Amino acid sequence: MLVLTRKPQQNVFIGNDIEVRVLSVNRNQVRLGFSAPREIDIFREECCSKLRNKKHSTENEVTIVLDEQ
């Protein structure tokens, strides 16, 4: 894991297309702004966990189709 120190209004770039800006820091809260192409999905951790759980549960589902004749 890369660990960086940034002050408000400073940026970090990921590749050529993704920019992360520190918008503000207040006690134990950091506000970040992200600029990325539309095809890049950006999720908060709790949303990503829900999506992973949902995907995992649908992968375990079995669909049985009965061919009625």
Side-chain angles (χ1 to χ4, degrees), residues 9 19 25 27 29 32 46 49 51 55 60:
Q9 305 310 312
E19 176 185 357
V25 179
R27 295 185 183 170
Q29 186 178 47
L32 300 173
E46 60 272 18
S49 296
L51 289 172
K55 182 179 178 187
N60 292 333

Side-chain angles (χ1 to χ4, degrees), residues 10-41:
Q10 290 183 329
N11 302 331
V12 173
F13 290 91
I14 302 171
N16 294 324
D17 297 334
I18 301 171
E19 176 185 357
V20 181
R21 177 175 281 215
V22 178
L23 299 176
S24 64
V25 179
N26 295 314
R27 295 185 183 170
N28 64 343
Q29 186 178 47
V30 177
R31 292 185 67 215
L32 300 173
F34 296 87
S35 295
R38 288 188 176 266
E39 61 271 9
I40 302 293
D41 294 327

